[in-house]
Amino acid sequence: EDQVTQSPEALRLQEGESSSLNCSYTVSGLRGLFWYRQDPGKGPEFLFTLYSAGEEKEKERLKATLTKKESFLHITAPKPEDSATYLCAVRDSGNTPLVFGKGTRLSVIA
Amino acid sequence: DAGITQSPRYKITETGRQVTLMCHQTWSHSYMFWYRQDLGHGLRLIYYSAAADITDKGEVSDGYVVSRSKTENFPLTLESATRSQTSVYFCASSDRRGRSYEQYFGPGTRLTVT
């Protein structure tokens, strides 16, 4: 049973075209929702942690939000260097390991 | 430099051979993890460790062995490699700061089993 589902699988944007990536989750007691960025041939790089519905975090052109069932990663006026795979993960109540979604592969075209 | 390192970065081995992938972190983090990443599956947990001499199985632990005699090292051994173990392997570490458990990843080891 999938606990974390990311959509879309792939997204192609023009430079400056804002959009959102979705991460929906089903866990009994959320202890944290994590966003990572992964460049080809590299390990995932930590971006944000969100803990409760209504929480928001920002970093440059990225803004992550959280509801009781899903999280969005909003990308405002993206640049080609934002091209990467974005991974979402959750930590369930009582469990230490994170459960990852399969990621969204973002391509930003100049 | 502080951080998490993996070695080797690339490895080609034959079916049936034993292979050990190394992971070393300099942050003194309590937790360490091993994942494999395959197309269509994303990151899947193999094993994790909460402290030296404490290890637990993850989702895909069959065919793998781990040990953790020192906090900073967490080697992963494939006892008898199979083609299905061809993958990219990532090591990660984390520590508790308040309620935070974010994991920090190494650069990965690309393993090919022929």
Side-chain angles (χ1 to χ4, degrees):
Chain A
E1 179 184 349
D2 285 340
Q3 290 182 279
V4 183
T5 303
Q6 292 189 245
S7 62
E9 289 186 13
L11 181 62
R12 187 182 174 97
L13 299 173
Q14 293 293 319
E15 184 173 5
E17 179 187 3
S18 301
S19 187
S20 296
L21 313 182
N22 177 263
C23 172
S24 62
Y25 62 91
T26 54
V27 295
S28 57
L30 185 70
R31 288 290 187 90
L33 186 138
F34 302 79
W35 282 100
Y36 285 82
R37 169 191 171 127
Q38 186 175 22
D39 293 300
K42 296 189 176 182
E45 175 188 348
F46 171 73
L47 292 173
F48 306 109
T49 309
L50 302 166
Y51 293 102
S52 54
E55 189 174 358
E56 298 182 351
K57 293 226 176 132
E58 288 188 65
K59 181 180 181 179
E60 295 181 357
R61 293 176 293 282
L62 301 176
K63 179 180 177 180
T65 61
L66 182 65
T67 72
K68 288 187 177 180
K69 293 185 177 181
E70 57 192 348
S71 177
F72 292 94
L73 185 65
H74 307 278
I75 303 176
T76 301
K79 298 182 177 182
E81 53 261 44
D82 295 322
S83 296
T85 296
Y86 290 86
L87 302 172
C88 169
V90 298
R91 181 170 172 263
D92 198 351
S93 176
N95 285 334
T96 298
L98 302 183
V99 177
F100 282 83
K102 295 180 180 180
T104 293
R105 189 171 65 255
L106 175 67
S107 300
V108 182
I109 310 303
Chain B
D1 288 346
I4 184 165
T5 56
Q6 294 183 234
S7 62
R9 294 293 316 280
Y10 302 90
K11 177 74 176 179
I12 300 173
T13 191
E14 294 177 343
T15 301
R17 293 207 180 247
Q18 183 179 82
V19 177
T20 296
L21 310 184
M22 304 301 292
C23 179
H24 175 77
Q25 52 104 357
T26 61
W27 292 306
S28 298
H29 283 171
S30 300
Y31 294 95
M32 295 188 75
F33 307 83
W34 275 107
Y35 294 88
R36 60 178 290 173
Q37 188 173 41
D38 306 285
L39 281 174
H41 290 281
L43 281 164
R44 291 183 291 174
L45 182 68
I46 304 172
Y47 267 98
Y48 69 103
S49 169
D53 298 322
I54 301 175
T55 61
D56 279 294
K57 293 181 178 181
E59 178 187 356
V60 290
S61 60
D62 287 347
Y64 302 95
V65 175
V66 293
S67 62
R68 193 157 177 220
S69 58
K70 293 184 178 181
T71 300
E72 62 266 30
N73 296 323
F74 191 37
L76 175 73
T77 297
L78 288 66
E79 295 183 296
S80 178
T82 65
R83 289 198 180 90
S84 65
Q85 293 176 312
T86 292
S87 186
V88 181
Y89 291 85
F90 289 101
C91 178
S93 70
S94 74
D95 208 354
R96 183 169 186 171
R97 299 183 191 127
R99 55 181 178 171
S100 174
Y101 278 85
E102 57 258 23
Q103 296 179 11
Y104 296 91
F105 284 79
T109 294
R110 182 174 294 275
L111 176 68
T112 302
V113 183
T114 63

